[in-house]
Amino acid sequence: MNQVTVLDGGFATQLSVHVGKSIDGDPLWSARFNATDPNAVFKTHLDFLEAGAEAIMTNTYQASIEGYTEYLHLTEDTSLNLIKSTVRVAQMARNHFLAKKSDAPLTTIPLLVASIGPYGAHLHDGSEYTGSYSSEVSDDTIQKWHRPRIDACLEAGVDILGIETIPCKMEAEALLDMMCEEYPNVRFWISFQCKDNLHLANGELFSETVNSLWAKARAMGNPNLIALGVNCVHPQIVTPLFKSVNEKKPPASRIPLIVYPNSGEVYTVEEGWQGKEDCVPLEHYVPQWIDLGARFIGGCCRTYARDIKRIKQAVNAHGNSDDHH
């Protein structure tokens, strides 16, 4: 039976339950609350753990030195300290959860994953959904921008780096090279933003990108790339994307995949999120994703702790049905 790790859901989405307002549209997005309301961040992590998440992601997606200096007027040092304290809030939530569970020991301790969002996120121009910067910036610029936050998260203490919402092959390759060369002992995943059921946001083929990155990590002798996949996409496009990578591979040589999609609602600046009533619940897709090699499944925008609870039930049900084959 293949183990599937259930991830958490949309951090800003669940956070809105505690801060009582919509967070969309803020240039720092949920990362502002690391400074203004860390207790709400703590409670949000706890919600996901209590819903059954086996991995929680730090609230650092949009946390960058540039963003914090520009919008919170922090110094570089204070920004890095804020990123470290944000990781510690997630650690505190995990410790609190484990302490409450001490009567019924868990089989696994939930993983702490550093959310490492794309270079484009700090530009606040939507370019993380297009990857348009891939032709304008160098590998070196991308690596330089990512390095301080990665270092801060590792120093504060995380289990895995979740490199996510990456829109272009060029940024993924720059990060893969950097992980292999500078952080050879750190486990990580790379998860893409895709514009349709075949292509990354920037237009490259998802299957070609995933296959080449996986082969490259293997060629560089790095066993710590634990999965490749998609996040922050419409759930309908996930199965065809996954088929394009793994459908023709024999089970033993399939690439481990990760998916944490949006709810299926559609966001526009004018209307906000629309279409909740038309969404197919995410847990409906879980069996097909697992059958195509998904090893990590959770949710992104507009997915709440209650959605994670249902995903977990679907994963467990699928695992149990596997045992009888």
Side-chain angles (χ1 to χ4, degrees):
M1 182 184 140
N2 294 312
Q3 272 316 114
V4 174
T5 301
V6 176
L7 307 172
D8 58 6
F11 197 87
T13 303
Q14 186 66 26
L15 181 66
S16 65
V17 172
H18 298 291
V19 296
K21 54 178 178 286
S22 173
I23 298 159
D24 298 323
D26 185 312
L28 287 175
W29 203 38
S30 57
R32 178 179 297 276
F33 293 87
N34 296 331
T36 60
D37 196 348
N39 193 40
V41 173
F42 173 86
K43 286 178 179 159
T44 302
H45 285 309
L46 213 48
D47 290 343
F48 286 129
L49 288 165
E50 284 165 356
E54 295 157 311
I56 54 169
M57 295 192 77
T58 58
N59 187 32
T60 49
Y61 175 83
Q62 203 105 340
S64 68
I65 295 164
E66 290 83 348
Y68 279 152
T69 47
E70 185 173 349
Y71 298 107
L72 290 181
H73 312 297
L74 302 180
T75 64
E76 185 169 330
D77 276 356
T78 332
S79 302
L80 288 171
N81 284 332
L82 182 54
I83 290 172
K84 289 176 198 170
S85 68
T86 302
V87 173
R88 287 188 202 108
V89 171
Q91 289 167 345
M92 282 158 52
R94 176 169 71 176
N95 292 342
H96 182 82
F97 172 74
L98 291 170
K100 284 196 340 197
K101 286 271 175 286
S102 56
D103 48 337
L106 290 167
T107 45
T108 54
I109 292 183
L111 296 163
L112 205 61
V113 183
S115 167
I116 306 294
Y119 177 81
H122 85 283
L123 303 173
H124 198 58
D125 59 2
S127 61
E128 73 259 47
Y129 299 107
T130 64
S132 55
Y133 53 86
S134 70
S135 54
E136 290 148 29
V137 296
S138 66
D139 286 13
D140 191 49
T141 303
I142 296 257
Q143 292 172 343
K144 245 193 204 91
W145 183 81
H146 279 288
R147 204 174 276 119
R149 177 178 52 183
I150 288 175
D151 288 341
C153 288
L154 290 173
E155 196 178 311
V158 292
D159 301 311
I160 293 172
L161 296 184
I163 297 169
E164 56 178 359
T165 332
I166 302 296
C168 49
K169 185 179 182 184
M170 170 263 176
E171 184 170 10
E173 287 188 321
L175 281 159
L176 177 66
D177 289 346
M178 181 162 112
M179 293 305 296
C180 291
E181 286 156 23
E182 298 174 36
Y183 308 93
N185 301 316
V186 176
R187 289 185 295 164
F188 66 105
W189 73 58
I190 300 177
S191 174
F192 290 96
Q193 168 62 223
C194 291
K195 66 175 179 180
D196 58 30
N197 60 14
L198 284 174
H199 301 92
L200 306 189
N202 194 43
E204 299 97 341
L205 276 175
F206 177 74
S207 58
E208 193 280 319
T209 303
V210 167
N211 283 321
S212 80
L213 287 167
W214 188 252
K216 189 171 190 184
R218 289 290 167 272
M220 292 172 89
N222 188 327
N224 288 315
L225 173 58
I226 57 173
L228 291 159
V230 290
N231 72 290
C232 200
V233 296
H234 195 291
Q236 274 174 344
I237 70 172
V238 176
T239 297
L241 284 164
F242 280 8
K243 279 185 172 169
S244 74
V245 171
N246 271 346
E247 194 174 34
K248 301 214 168 36
K249 291 186 175 71
S253 57
R254 286 189 162 182
I255 294 173
L257 298 174
I258 181 166
V259 51
Y260 44 116
N262 298 334
S263 62
E265 292 162 78
V266 177
Y267 183 77
T268 58
V269 175
E270 303 76 44
E271 306 271 313
W273 291 97
Q274 296 292 318
K276 182 132 194 80
E277 49 295 327
D278 308 324
C279 292
V280 176
L282 289 183
E283 63 271 19
H284 169 85
Y285 298 98
V286 163
Q288 48 190 295
W289 293 344
I290 295 176
D291 289 344
L292 284 165
R295 293 288 162 268
F296 298 86
I297 302 177
C300 206
C301 300
R302 302 294 294 162
T303 61
Y304 290 88
R306 59 176 180 262
D307 298 302
I308 296 307
K309 198 170 188 167
R310 292 201 294 265
I311 287 172
K312 173 100 173 211
Q313 287 162 348
V315 167
N316 289 343
H318 188 270
N320 294 334
S321 69
D322 268 9
D323 292 343
H324 303 297
H325 289 179

